[in-house]
Amino acid sequence: MRSQDLEEMRRIPFFRSVEPGQVEAMLRGAFLQRFPAHVELIHTGEPADFLHVVVEGTVEMFSVHRDRETTLGVSGPGDSFILAAVLFDRPYLQSARALLASRILMVPADAVRQAFAADAGFARAIAENLALAYRGVIKELKNQKLRSGLERLANWLLTHDAENGSTGHFDFPFDKKVLAARLGMAPEVLSRSFAALGAYHVVVHGPSVVIQDVAALRKLAHPCSTIDGTSL
Amino acid sequence: MRSQDLEEMRRIPFFRSVEPGQVEAMLRGAFLQRFPAHVELIHTGEPADFLHVVVEGTVEMFSVHRDRETTLGVSGPGDSFILAAVLFDRPYLQSARALLASRILMVPADAVRQAFAADAGFARAIAENLALAYRGVIKELKNQKLRSGLERLANWLLTHDAENGSTGHFDFPFDKKVLAARLGMAPEVLSRSFAALGAYHVVVHGPSVVIQDVAALRKLAHPCSTIDGTSL
DNA sequence: CGGACCGTTGACTACATTCAATGCAGGTGG
DNA sequence: CCACCTGCATTGAATGTAGTCAACGGTCCG
């Protein structure tokens, strides 16, 4: 790894509360790798050899069972994934693929485990990371089980708008196909859902969305702090 | 708390890797409380004042949104719950109710946070606990999104049988109503699913089940190590 | 111009919820 | 001991939500 890359890695939030020596040790055996879009980074069931951290790009976490596939989450810059599997040397429960061309930091699993054992600050940072990840999945599970597809879409629109300045209009950060998977529905259903949102003054034109009446959309969505958003 | 109770608490797996002094400190302000069945122990959205550990009994984790309710998990003796919320002082994302009369250890949240900050061994134990909990929820999410109700039931039967000696017959540990909620279906659907399992030589009589042909049931269920069980 | 892919729409199917009616226990009180 | 109530489980019918299959239009790109 080049020294300017090393500098960049040190600034990753994940390493912030780690002793400099431990960061060195972890980065010594690490790779910073570029992946083109659509490439599969890890595969469900394989042993956890590396901790992956997204430096740049977007990664989709998904899983396949028999002839069905489902998206479990999407990770962006600064996010690590499959930390739980790496820490305790278990097989991955999820697969990951790059949605965009991405730069991924890959830290050997035993280096992570060693730092976890040696550095209490790192252990606490990991606990915090896992706690937030856990709460994220619980929210996703509630989102899936307690809401209809239309409600999930309405809430996604509101959340995404809020994360981008609440202007009421934005472009989709990925294909609608991917959005459908992320919301847990077939692409056709997403299409129909957009049509249904016309009644709530949501206008979709190609890759752009306009929310003309936030109040109406909120009334449909019933956003809830214990399901939506990352603040809690 | 009585001294014999203190002895019992010290043997909880959760406290095994904690310094004795820290355990003392946590237990000093803790309560060991009995709850009758059906009582709600914690409520979604409230601040996390206590870490709860099931000493005896069974607790259902659930959540309500608008007019819908869903079960997110069931905890038994030795399990702690809402650890993530307690650690970082966030509101509960789940509610909990006792399914059976239960004894619950309640440790003040700030005592837990203090021990987490002071004792690296405890911090690592918590990280491990959170990692396993995280993987459990991921499995539950996959179970929900990748399988039909009938498949979930078939797998639950196989898993539960395996956890009880693989004898091929057992009694339900809780009401069918609760099982239905746990599997994410209406009680009526569970009823119909049992009827459908007749074709696979599963015989249900009141509270008892007999799996007469494990091979046939497995062929329907397609059990999978990255969804089922607690071993991985 | 032709091909590939995405998104949309329609028709059909599968799975699950809801509502309603019934049967079957266990528990209470006359 | 029996009548009665309550709550759970089962069954039927109707509804609703989402997945599947197929066809079509548009756009990007060779």
Side-chain angles (χ1 to χ4, degrees), chain A residues 10-203:
Chain A
R10 265 188 267 270
R11 288 197 303 271
I12 291 173
F14 192 69
F15 292 131
R16 277 247 298 282
S17 51
V18 188
E19 294 169 13
Q22 294 294 341
V23 178
E24 290 293 325
M26 278 194 281
L27 291 181
R28 213 182 331 263
F31 306 92
L32 181 60
Q33 195 145 354
R34 287 178 185 277
F35 293 93
H38 311 302
V39 163
E40 193 168 319
L41 309 181
I42 62 172
H43 191 79
T44 304
E46 286 179 0
D49 293 331
F50 293 92
L51 172 66
H52 294 233
V53 184
V54 182
V55 176
E56 197 184 325
T58 311
V59 172
E60 178 186 24
M61 309 302 302
F62 69 101
S63 199
V64 174
H65 180 63
R66 314 237 277 136
D67 57 346
R68 285 178 246 187
E69 171 175 330
T70 191
T71 298
L72 298 167
V74 175
S75 298
D79 296 343
S80 62
F81 51 92
I82 48 151
L83 175 56
V86 166
L87 253 201
F88 299 105
D89 202 10
R90 305 287 165 87
Y92 298 133
L93 296 181
Q94 310 174 60
S95 300
R97 72 164 69 96
L99 286 180
L100 306 174
S102 301
R103 290 167 69 212
I104 308 291
L105 177 68
M106 297 169 61
V107 184
D110 49 9
V112 175
R113 286 192 286 268
Q114 200 188 322
F116 176 74
D119 180 352
F122 187 47
R124 291 191 185 95
I126 281 182
E128 175 158 9
N129 196 303
L130 287 169
L132 291 178
Y134 172 79
R135 287 170 67 86
V137 192
I138 288 286
K139 286 179 181 178
E140 188 54 34
L141 188 58
K142 289 173 66 175
N143 193 34
Q144 281 295 325
K145 293 182 75 174
L146 293 170
R147 297 214 264 231
S148 70
L150 189 62
E151 289 171 328
R152 291 198 295 278
L153 173 57
N155 280 290
W156 185 89
L157 290 172
L158 288 171
T159 302
H160 192 78
D161 182 45
E163 283 169 355
N164 290 73
S166 298
T167 58
H169 54 91
F170 57 86
D171 284 10
F172 293 108
F174 28 66
D175 284 350
K176 290 183 190 170
K177 197 180 169 185
V178 174
L179 177 60
R182 183 162 171 46
L183 293 173
M185 56 176 82
E188 296 93 325
V189 178
L190 179 63
S191 233
R192 287 184 240 275
S193 299
F194 277 133
L197 287 182
Y200 297 86
H201 309 107
V202 174
V203 179

Side-chain angles (χ1 to χ4, degrees), chain A residues 188-230:
Chain A
E188 296 93 325
V189 178
L190 179 63
S191 233
R192 287 184 240 275
S193 299
F194 277 133
L197 287 182
Y200 297 86
H201 309 107
V202 174
V203 179
V204 181
H205 237 11
S208 87
V209 191
V210 183
I211 302 171
Q212 292 177 340
D213 185 347
V214 174
L217 191 57
R218 289 180 66 89
K219 199 173 162 206
L220 168 68
H222 289 275
C224 165
S225 67
T226 62
I227 303 183
D228 306 292
T230 53

